[in-house]
Amino acid sequence: MDGKIALKERLAKPGPLLVGGAHNGMTGKLVEEAGFDAIWASGFEISAAHCVPDANILTMAEQLSAASWMVKAADIPVIADCDNGYGNAINVIHMVKSYESEGIAAVCIEDNVFPKRCSFYAGVKRELAPVEEHAGKVKAVLDNRKSDDFLVIARTEALIAGWGMEEALTRGRAYADAGADFVLVHSKSDKPDEVLGFAQQWDRDTPLVCVPTIYKTTTAQTLYDGGYQIIIYANHGLRSGIKAQREALATIVKEQHCSSVDHLVVPKTDVYELIGVPQMKADEKAFMPSGGANVGAIILAAGASPELGELTADRPKAMLDVKGKPVLGHQVEALNEAGIKDISVVVGYKKEAVDLPNLKTYAADESQGEVASLMEASSELDGRTLVLYGDILFDQEMVERLLQSEGDVVLVVDRSNLKGRENRDLVQTLNGEVGSGQRFLKGTRMDTLGRIGQNLDEANGEWIGMMMLSTKGATTLRQVVEELGAASGSVHEADSLATAALTDLLQALVDKGLTVNTIDTYKGWMEIDTFEDYQRAWAQLR
Ligand code: SPV
Ligand code: MG
């Protein structure tokens, strides 16, 4: 919400409005987190944070920059301490334009001359501007603000300068009569008597503001009951910070190991929360191209599909039209959307029908097994690679999840339904429960493959025909194929490497002690094996 509106709305409610001092975005955020109603962009704090006195040494631009970081960091209104307006009424006009356009809700200007001295520095030159001059600055704010919701607090330092209660009242009245939205009367007495006395004699409607730094035992409620609507706790974040940092830093120098201050520091994750790292992660996901730029894909589309009869008389399954685009076209679209542009297709049966642009093709014999087909494109297994069957349709989100997955070989496993058709690539993972129809939430599980194949006695999922290989996983996979070739003989459920399916190779990886991981899905894909599948694809594809 607009800070100005928020401040006005809060002011309309009864009770003291509590304002906490800050000097940057983080301390503004902490003021908000603590439950204050508004942030005080304190000149005292901002100066101290730069390690210079609060004496108009920082420029307006530096003070404003700190205040605008608070606006960005927090949702509660920011009230900016603008000292004496950084000069005369002409400077004030520039100040108003600058602060209002940065989303500040209110400014406070005090009747110190330029350059000022902090109200609490003892033994320094302290002079007040003539009352007419300061009233003129108040009018300059009113005349130059764009919105009446941008409030001005006029502050008198008469009590601080020792000019007495009458002078304080005269000045307060002059500023109220000039149109100030609030009058702040500052006091360095250690008792609230001065400010309460001022309020008792206050004869204007303009509400009052105070800063109980020195009369520090007086509660906000007492001050509110005494006539003050806004109470500013001006510098306690900075001062407690210095104390805590001193202790932690000295402890490290003494003990010479970081764990000596474990009890004095917040966990790093606390910092991440405060600065919005979780939001950044979500924004990366929502607004940035996904991490597929350096990932290649190999699509296996070499086999013939006699089950589909006439439909595939002149084309492989991957080129079957589903709603105006071949299956392969849908796949390429999903991969491209995830940033994967380097796509290879292993073609065989009716390979001349595979005529989509921007694809590399590798030729295999349609009678070869899947592993042999994949090896036709083995030169592509030289980095992170997504391997998938050419006859599946899938939600693009699955590609995203595979891209985000960690592990050298990661399979997508459907946990939704194990009943039904023959010839499925069944899997049994080590931690999933055995059974069918088990419902798992998408994306919540990373499991480890135990067994995979078409003839498992027990299974708890079905491989959907997509796997992500890390660079290491791709290299290992090639090495294992070489080893299996050298050893000859059967490979899991296949008689030989030449006829082995990918499931046979995956089982061989597991048998060699390599870890194959799985991530779960609950539907979100379909395979085109039969005419009924093809009909379903037409019916279900959005
Ligand atoms: C500030 O915080 O800079 C103030 C309040 O102006 S005080 O330091 O008490 O003057
Ligand atoms: Mg100040």
Side-chain angles (χ1 to χ4, degrees), residues 138 154 171-183 202 204-206:
V138 171
R171 285 174 172 259
R173 286 181 191 123
Y175 308 153
D177 295 345
D181 298 294
F182 289 88
V183 166
W202 186 237
R204 298 291 190 273
D205 291 335
T206 311

Side-chain angles (χ1 to χ4, degrees), residues 103-402:
I104 309 289
V107 286
C108 174
I109 49 171
E110 67 205 24
D111 52 10
N112 278 315
V113 295
F114 181 96
K116 66 163 284 183
R117 296 290 178 259
C118 168
S119 311
F120 301 134
Y121 299 163
V124 296
K125 275 183 180 260
R126 188 175 302 289
E127 288 170 55
L128 299 190
V131 61
E132 302 76 20
E133 181 183 329
H134 199 61
K137 289 185 189 179
V138 171
K139 285 191 189 137
V141 175
L142 304 179
D143 246 41
N144 287 280
R145 65 183 175 187
K146 285 208 173 76
S147 157
D148 289 353
D149 296 329
F150 179 73
L151 304 179
V152 55
I153 301 172
R155 159 170 165 183
T156 180
E157 292 283 286
L159 296 175
I160 296 282
W163 289 19
M165 184 64 78
E166 268 320 305
E167 179 70 16
L169 283 162
T170 303
R171 285 174 172 259
R173 286 181 191 123
Y175 308 153
D177 295 345
D181 298 294
F182 289 88
V183 166
L184 189 162
V185 57
H186 205 7
S187 159
K188 59 183 179 194
S189 165
D190 60 3
K191 300 204 171 49
D193 306 8
E194 269 189 353
V195 288
L196 293 177
F198 181 96
Q200 261 172 12
Q201 296 175 67
W202 186 237
D203 49 9
R204 298 291 190 273
D205 291 335
T206 311
L208 298 175
V209 182
C210 65
V211 187
T213 307
I214 309 296
Y215 45 102
K216 58 190 177 189
T217 56
T218 313
T219 65
Q221 191 61 45
T222 303
L223 293 165
Y224 182 71
D225 294 341
Y228 288 87
Q229 193 176 2
I230 298 181
I231 322 289
I232 300 174
Y233 296 90
N235 49 44
H236 300 82
L238 174 97
R239 286 163 61 201
S240 57
I242 292 173
K243 182 171 179 177
Q245 288 174 45
R246 267 205 180 127
E247 185 180 355
L249 296 172
T251 305
I252 293 176
V253 170
K254 183 160 165 251
E255 303 295 336
Q256 310 228 337
H257 62 98
C258 302
S259 64
S260 61
V261 294
D262 276 352
H263 63 297
L264 298 176
V265 299
V266 296
K268 291 196 299 302
T269 45
D270 225 11
V271 181
Y272 304 161
E273 281 287 333
L274 283 163
I275 62 181
V277 174
Q279 184 62 46
M280 184 177 83
K281 270 193 204 164
D283 290 342
E284 272 186 2
K285 226 171 150 205
F287 307 119
M288 289 176 69
S290 44
N294 298 318
V295 177
I298 303 175
I299 300 174
L300 301 181
S305 322
E307 326 74 50
L308 286 163
E310 272 303 296
L311 277 173
T312 55
D314 63 347
R315 65 191 68 196
K317 263 196 291 187
M319 291 308 288
L320 275 181
D321 180 89
V322 181
K323 294 200 166 169
K325 198 182 288 176
V327 175
L328 185 60
H330 289 289
Q331 293 186 328
V332 168
E333 191 176 83
L335 295 173
N336 284 345
E337 241 177 83
I340 302 177
K341 300 281 162 55
D342 178 12
I343 302 173
S344 305
V345 188
V346 183
V347 292
Y349 174 74
K350 300 291 175 194
K351 56 177 179 279
E352 59 288 348
V354 180
D355 57 357
L356 298 183
N358 304 323
L359 299 178
K360 283 183 255 178
T361 53
Y362 290 86
D365 190 303
E366 62 184 80
S367 62
Q368 282 176 305
E370 290 162 5
V371 175
S373 278
L374 177 62
M375 285 306 117
E376 298 295 351
S378 64
S379 60
E380 300 292 338
L381 290 168
D382 65 345
R384 212 168 171 221
T385 311
L386 178 63
V387 177
L388 61 153
Y389 290 149
D391 61 354
I392 54 172
L393 292 166
F394 47 85
D395 287 347
Q396 199 255 342
E397 178 221 21
M398 271 184 212
V399 183
E400 298 286 354
R401 290 184 49 221
L402 276 171

Side-chain angles (χ1 to χ4, degrees), residues 389 423-427 452-454 461-465 503 527:
Y389 290 149
N423 300 331
R424 307 173 76 173
D425 292 338
L426 299 173
V427 302
I452 185 164
Q454 302 203 336
E462 176 181 9
W463 181 40
I464 74 162
T503 49
E527 183 179 23

Side-chain angles (χ1 to χ4, degrees), residues 78 86 266 290 364 412 430 517:
V78 175
Y86 309 106
V266 296
S290 44
V412 181
L430 298 187
N517 290 114

